Amino acid sequence: MNYRNLVPVVGVILNITGSGCCNQMISIRVEEGIVNFVISAETYVIDSRQLRPGMRVAAFYDKTLPVPMIFPPQYRAELITVLGRNELIALNFFNTELIAEDNSLQLNVSRNTEIQTINGQNFFCDIGNRPLLVYYTVTTRSIPPQTTPRRIVVLGCE
C-alpha cells in the first residue's frame, strides 16, 4: 500500500450492511452528503475496532484506483480508524525533524504520546523518515503548524 496515494474522508457512520461473506458496505455522513465505502478482508482497521453506526471515523481510499461513476460516491477502504470527538488526523511522511513531507504539520512528541505499529504493538525506534498516522487535537499557528500528538501509528515498519 502506497500511503502517499491515500485520501481521507472524515465523517460519522450512518449504517453498515453486509455485502457478501467477507465484505461490508458502510455509509458515512460528511459535510457534503454521504460517501459509501466497501470494507474487505484487506482493509486495515486500526485497533481492530468493531465499527458501529454513530462512530466518527476517517476512512482512507487510494486515489489512483478506478471508482464507479455513481452517486453517492463509493470507494474501497484501504484504512479506517475511529476518531475522538474533536480529534484530527494526518497521514504523511515525516522527516527526521518530524516535519511532514508537504510541510503541513510538525510533531512535538511528548512522554504521553502513544507510539505503536499498525498492528498495535509498541514501537521503540526513531519515528523519523517514516509514514505516520498522527492523531491530534490542536496546532499552533506557526508555519508549519506544530502539535503534540495523542497517538502515532507507524505505518512504515521495516
Side-chain angles (χ1 to χ4, degrees), residues 5 14 17 25-27 34 71 118 129 131 137 145-146 148 155:
N5 294 334
L14 291 176
T17 56
M25 176 79 72
I26 65 169
S27 296
I34 295 174
F71 187 81
I118 196 165
N129 284 327
T137 53
Q146 296 181 35
T148 302
L155 300 178

Side-chain angles (χ1 to χ4, degrees), residues 22-132:
C22 296
N23 294 337
Q24 292 181 326
M25 176 79 72
I26 65 169
S27 296
I28 299 176
R29 175 170 298 287
V30 297
E31 288 182 19
E32 299 80 25
I34 295 174
V35 179
N36 292 324
F37 282 91
V38 174
I39 301 174
S40 70
E42 289 82 36
T43 301
Y44 286 104
V45 179
I46 301 294
D47 296 331
S48 298
R49 297 274 306 262
Q50 181 68 43
L51 301 175
R52 293 183 171 76
M55 286 182 156
R56 186 167 173 266
V57 297
F60 292 83
Y61 67 92
D62 187 334
K63 66 183 177 185
T64 65
L65 295 179
V67 294
M69 296 296 290
I70 59 174
F71 187 81
Q74 178 178 310
Y75 303 103
R76 188 176 87 204
E78 299 291 329
L79 177 73
I80 295 182
T81 187
V82 177
L83 299 177
R85 183 177 180 155
N86 296 315
E87 198 161 46
L88 302 170
I89 195 146
L91 173 59
N92 215 316
F93 185 87
F94 288 82
N95 66 18
T96 55
E97 284 92 34
L98 301 180
I99 298 173
E101 186 172 56
D102 62 0
N103 210 36
S104 62
L105 192 63
Q106 181 173 358
L107 308 179
N108 297 317
V109 178
S110 79
R111 292 184 344 191
N112 296 328
T113 302
E114 296 175 39
I115 303 174
Q116 300 174 326
T117 63
I118 196 165
N119 67 358
Q121 303 305 305
N122 289 329
F123 187 80
F124 300 106
C125 297
D126 185 13
I127 61 172
N129 284 327
R130 299 176 190 274
L132 305 174

